[in-house]
Each structure stands twice: as C-alpha cells, then as structure tokens.
Amino acid sequence: MTIRERLAKRIHAQDIRDLATVLAHEQGHTLLEETCSLLTDADKRTADNAAWLLTHLDKESRQWLYGKQAELIRKAMHTGSITQRRLILTILERQPFTADNINTDFLDFCLEQLQRPDLPPGLRSVCAKLAWKQCRHYPELTQELQAVLSHLDREELTPAMLCVRRNIIRQLHPAR
C-alpha cells in the first residue's frame, strides 16, 4: 500500500506514529518527499493526514524539512483547511527563524491570524509563537508584537492563549 493510499483513509494516532517511524528509517527521503507533495492533494483527508504525519517526525527528519520552509509557509498561508494550517504552522514553529530569513508576508500573516477571535485557540497560539520567533531579532518588530499582544487584553482569552501571551511577554521583558 502506498503512502497516499494509507493517508487517504481514516487513520489513528498509532498509524501516524508507525508511519513516522517508517519515514525516519527510510534512505533517501523519497517517502518524505512524497508526503510533502501530498499536502497539496485534492482530497482534504489525505492532505490533512499528510500534515499530521509531518508533525510526528523525529528530529533528523524534521531537520530535512528546514529546506522546505518557504514551501510550507506558502501552503500555510494559502490553504483553506484550518486543520492543515494549524498542523503546518506547528511544523514551522519547530523550525529555526534567524534574523536574515524573516518573511515579512508570513510575519504579517501570523500577526493577523493571532488577532482573529473567530479562529481556534490552537491556531492563534501557534501564530503567536511564530510571530515571536520572527520578531525577537528586531526591536521595532518586538514593539509591534507587544502592541498586538496588548490589544488582546480587550477580549476574553482562552487558557491556551493566556499562557502563550504571558510566556511571550515574559520573553519580551525578561527582567520583570
């Protein structure tokens, strides 16, 4: 059975862990490349399951995904699936963002998503973390993030959002 056939079906967490183990022990990353290509599959279940699988990769396989960062960013910004967006953003949150690889469109996207109360808290939380990872390199961007986080005081936040907000503010002001 191909990786696409397996991901096209209803699968469970143990299936995902088993597939992640297969990908980790594969030589040449052919299945990993195929899994990445399935993120754009026309079948929503297949695409969402591919994203779910990619969130369960081991450290070495996740490092291989660093080379796919720009592609993952584009997919996260343009997918219509909230599930897939959250999963791809989770993959991206585990990647490094250095001062010289900041994508301003993606940063703006994360800041915009963070401020949308109609989105699920998990999606907003990962957007907050990604915004911090990108902003922390530049004082003017940290000020912008601080303003966005302050604006969130006006709404009733879920415990997840309160925790992420508190942790980012703590990192913005480490002496406090």
Side-chain angles (χ1 to χ4, degrees):
M1 185 179 302
T2 68
I3 191 87
R4 187 191 186 291
E5 291 170 336
R6 289 183 76 180
L7 294 175
K9 297 178 178 183
R10 183 181 172 126
I11 57 177
H12 302 281
Q14 187 58 50
D15 300 321
I16 289 294
R17 288 189 290 274
D18 293 344
L19 285 170
T21 301
V22 169
L23 293 179
H25 293 97
E26 172 201 28
Q27 298 294 323
H29 302 294
T30 305
L31 288 175
L32 196 51
E33 188 71 51
E34 184 179 347
T35 303
C36 286
S37 71
L38 291 174
L39 292 173
T40 58
D41 197 273
D43 177 56
K44 182 184 179 327
R45 175 176 282 171
T46 302
D48 288 352
N49 284 342
W52 187 24
L53 174 56
L54 292 174
T55 65
H56 282 75
L57 296 176
D58 66 353
K59 185 177 181 177
E60 184 179 319
S61 299
R62 281 195 315 257
Q63 288 176 340
W64 180 85
L65 285 175
Y66 293 177
K68 301 281 186 187
Q69 189 177 70
E71 183 181 326
L72 290 169
I73 286 171
R74 275 191 305 280
K75 181 63 180 163
M77 290 173 61
H78 296 102
T79 184
S81 168
I82 294 293
T83 300
Q84 190 175 86
R85 179 174 296 150
R86 178 183 46 79
L87 291 167
I88 293 172
L89 291 172
T90 298
I91 295 164
L92 288 166
E93 196 270 326
R94 296 174 181 163
Q95 295 188 358
F97 284 84
T98 60
D100 52 331
N101 80 336
I102 302 300
N103 178 326
T104 55
D105 290 337
F106 182 56
L107 175 58
D108 290 343
F109 171 82
C110 290
L111 291 171
E112 186 266 328
Q113 299 283 292
L114 165 61
Q115 297 177 74
R116 289 189 48 196
D118 61 312
L119 292 177
L123 179 61
R124 293 177 71 196
S125 296
V126 76
C127 283
K129 292 175 186 178
L130 282 162
W132 165 246
K133 286 185 89 164
Q134 295 175 82
C135 288
R136 69 180 176 198
H137 302 290
Y138 299 99
E140 61 276 9
L141 292 178
T142 58
Q143 290 173 355
E144 183 176 347
L145 179 58
Q146 174 78 39
V148 168
L149 294 172
S150 295
H151 179 71
L152 294 180
D153 283 341
R154 297 186 184 112
E155 68 177 272
E156 190 172 326
L157 298 175
T158 64
M161 282 300 300
L162 285 170
C163 181
V164 168
R165 183 180 167 280
R166 183 175 43 251
N167 287 339
I168 292 172
I169 289 173
R170 192 175 299 136
Q171 292 175 50
L172 283 167
H173 307 288
R176 288 185 183 175

